[in-house]
């Protein structure tokens, strides 16, 4: 299987710190790269992480607070400076079109790349359907309009050698039954099993809401903000954020396999406490408390799981 990994470029909320850059996350999905929430300094973090402008196919912005979008200007100009040979598509809340326009044309530069604007509006929905994935968005709950994103790989079939042998199917006939669905009275279902596609969810600034659960449902990897610790839950609600315990409870209830916590307030200096509170919430899957320049591989496919919402 081609490389599928998350490259964490920044993990700070609101302001960068000495150890944490503003937000920025690159999802490598085979031959494509999706850049989420490029905050200030993302272009430099890309350099440090070995991520090139040529790696970007889509840019997905959850909302237009500065820590999630101020890096857009530099990233867009770098895409053009490096003459990326393919179109790049940008997704962002349509209600923030004026902010996107200002960032896209923040200074003078020569446009050499087709940047396709594909904003999100309403409750969200499917943004793109490719052979490799379906990308959709769901509305979240934040003081400014915000959306989360979700990638779902199409389900496939895994051929079972023992069943193929039992039915005498071999050589070119294996490819034929995969293409046609049946051969000589033997159905594809008789000699294969479901191979469920991988699912990735990206949830940033939000309170708990239906959109969070819809995005996280049965995700193989959930990247989610945990700005506050549990003792500051009132601040979280007031400012439209999640605590570590809330983020982990979502992952627990939605059957998430690998939980990645990020977007930490500068008021905290002990990242281990985020892990402790996430475990205390009952999440038993793989857990990563993100730090800058971290690379995290997506879990291998699982054969069955919860049904998507």
């Amino acid at each position: 299987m081609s490389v599928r990994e998350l490259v964490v470029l920044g993990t700070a909320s609101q302001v960068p710190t000495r150890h944490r850059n503003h937000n920025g996350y690159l999802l490598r999905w085979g031959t494509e790269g999706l850049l989420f929430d490029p905050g200030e300094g993302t272009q430099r973090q890309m350099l440090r992480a070995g991520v090139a402008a040529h790696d970007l196919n889509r840019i997905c912005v959850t909302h237009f607070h500065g820590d999630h979008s101020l890096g857009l200007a530099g990233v867009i100009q770098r895409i053009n400076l490096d003459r990326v040979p393919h179109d790049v598509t940008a997704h962002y809340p349509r209600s923030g079109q004026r902010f996107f326009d200002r960032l896209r044309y923040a200074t003078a530069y020569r446009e050499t790349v087709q940047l396709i604007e594909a904003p999100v509006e309403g409750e969200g929905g499917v943004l793109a359907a490719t052979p490799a994935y379906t990308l959709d968005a769901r509305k979240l709950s934040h003081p400014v309009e915000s959306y989360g994103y979700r990638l779902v790989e199409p389900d496939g079939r895994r051929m079972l050698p023992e069943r193929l042998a039992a039915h005498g199917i071999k050589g070119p006939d294996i490819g034929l039954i995969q293409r046609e669905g049946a051969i000589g009275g033997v159905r594809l279902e008789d000699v294969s099993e479901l191979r469920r596609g991988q699912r990735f969810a990206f949830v940033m600034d939000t309170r708990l809401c239906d959109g969070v659960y819809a995005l996280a449902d049965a995700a193989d990897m959930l990247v989610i903000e945990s700005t506050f610790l549990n003792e500051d839950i009132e601040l979280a609600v007031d400012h439209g954020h999640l605590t570590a315990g809330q983020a982990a409870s979502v992952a627990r209830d939605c059957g998430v396999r690998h939980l990645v916590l990020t977007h930490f307030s500068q008021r905290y200096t002990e990242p281990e406490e985020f892990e402790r509170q996430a475990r205390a919430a009952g999440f038993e899957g793989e857990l990563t408390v993100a730090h800058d320049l971290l690379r995290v591989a997506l879990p291998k496919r699982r054969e069955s799981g919860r049904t998507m919402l």
Side-chain angles (χ1 to χ4, degrees):
M1 185 177 66
S2 56
V3 173
R4 292 184 182 175
E5 67 172 358
L6 175 73
V7 182
V8 179
L9 303 173
T11 56
S13 70
Q14 194 172 39
V15 296
T17 71
R18 287 190 298 169
H19 304 290
R20 296 187 183 276
N21 197 76
H22 263 175
N23 287 279
Y25 310 85
L26 176 78
L27 176 64
R28 294 191 187 276
W29 192 270
T31 60
E32 290 200 32
L34 296 91
L35 178 64
F36 294 90
D37 279 7
E40 184 181 351
T42 292
Q43 185 182 180
R44 185 170 184 272
Q45 293 295 94
M46 287 170 59
L47 179 65
R48 296 180 68 198
V51 175
H54 284 63
D55 296 330
L56 307 183
N57 298 87
R58 295 183 188 273
I59 302 173
C60 301
V61 177
T62 58
H63 66 292
F64 284 101
H65 278 153
D67 53 328
H68 298 261
S69 61
L70 280 175
L72 266 173
V75 170
I76 290 173
Q77 292 189 28
R78 186 58 180 267
I79 288 169
N80 285 274
L81 178 66
D82 289 1
R83 296 178 179 269
V84 170
H86 52 259
D87 294 349
V88 177
T89 301
H91 304 287
Y92 52 87
R94 184 180 292 277
S95 60
Q97 185 69 52
R98 66 191 186 280
F99 302 122
F100 183 86
D101 292 343
R102 292 170 187 167
L103 289 163
R104 181 174 182 177
Y105 298 110
T107 66
Y109 66 98
R110 181 179 179 185
E111 290 189 272
T112 63
V113 177
Q114 178 71 17
L115 181 64
I116 301 169
E117 298 181 9
V120 191
E121 60 186 336
E123 294 302 312
V126 175
L127 304 177
T130 77
Y133 60 80
T134 296
L135 173 67
D136 67 281
R138 295 295 180 100
K139 193 171 184 178
L140 299 174
S141 174
H142 196 54
V144 301
E145 192 166 62
S146 183
Y147 292 88
Y149 296 93
R150 175 180 173 96
L151 273 82
V152 178
E153 177 187 33
D155 292 339
R157 308 290 307 183
R158 176 179 285 106
M159 306 306 291
L160 301 174
E162 66 278 7
R163 295 189 189 178
L164 289 167
H167 289 282
I169 299 174
K170 58 184 178 180
D173 286 342
I174 296 176
L176 181 61
I177 195 172
Q178 288 178 303
R179 292 191 300 272
E180 302 295 333
I183 183 173
V186 180
R187 301 172 305 160
L188 179 61
E189 292 81 1
D190 298 329
V191 294
S192 66
E193 64 182 5
L194 179 68
R195 186 195 66 193
R196 206 195 73 158
Q198 289 180 313
R199 303 174 185 190
F200 170 88
F202 185 81
V203 177
M204 282 295 117
D205 298 16
T206 184
R207 305 174 183 92
L208 288 178
C209 64
D210 290 344
V212 173
Y213 290 95
L215 292 162
D217 186 60
D220 294 291
M221 179 179 285
L222 168 64
V223 179
I224 187 168
E225 68 121 314
S226 56
T227 308
F228 293 101
L229 291 173
N230 295 343
E231 53 267 31
D232 293 317
I233 190 169
E234 291 185 6
L235 281 175
V237 173
D238 289 346
H239 294 282
H241 287 290
L242 298 174
T243 66
Q246 287 177 317
S249 69
V250 169
R252 178 199 66 209
D253 294 344
C254 291
V256 169
R257 297 174 67 199
H258 191 153
L259 171 63
V260 179
L261 299 179
T262 187
H263 193 270
F264 307 110
S265 170
Q266 68 270 22
R267 70 181 58 220
Y268 307 114
T269 58
E270 297 183 10
E272 298 82 6
E273 186 61 24
F274 286 87
E275 181 174 0
R276 285 194 289 268
Q277 294 193 2
R279 291 302 187 194
F283 178 72
E284 298 180 349
E286 192 167 358
L287 173 61
T288 297
V289 177
H291 59 79
D292 290 15
L293 306 181
L294 177 70
R295 307 177 92 93
V296 189
L298 266 71
K300 293 181 179 179
R301 295 184 182 94
R302 55 183 170 184
E303 301 310 316
S304 61
R306 300 163 59 89
T307 302
M308 284 178 58
L309 293 178

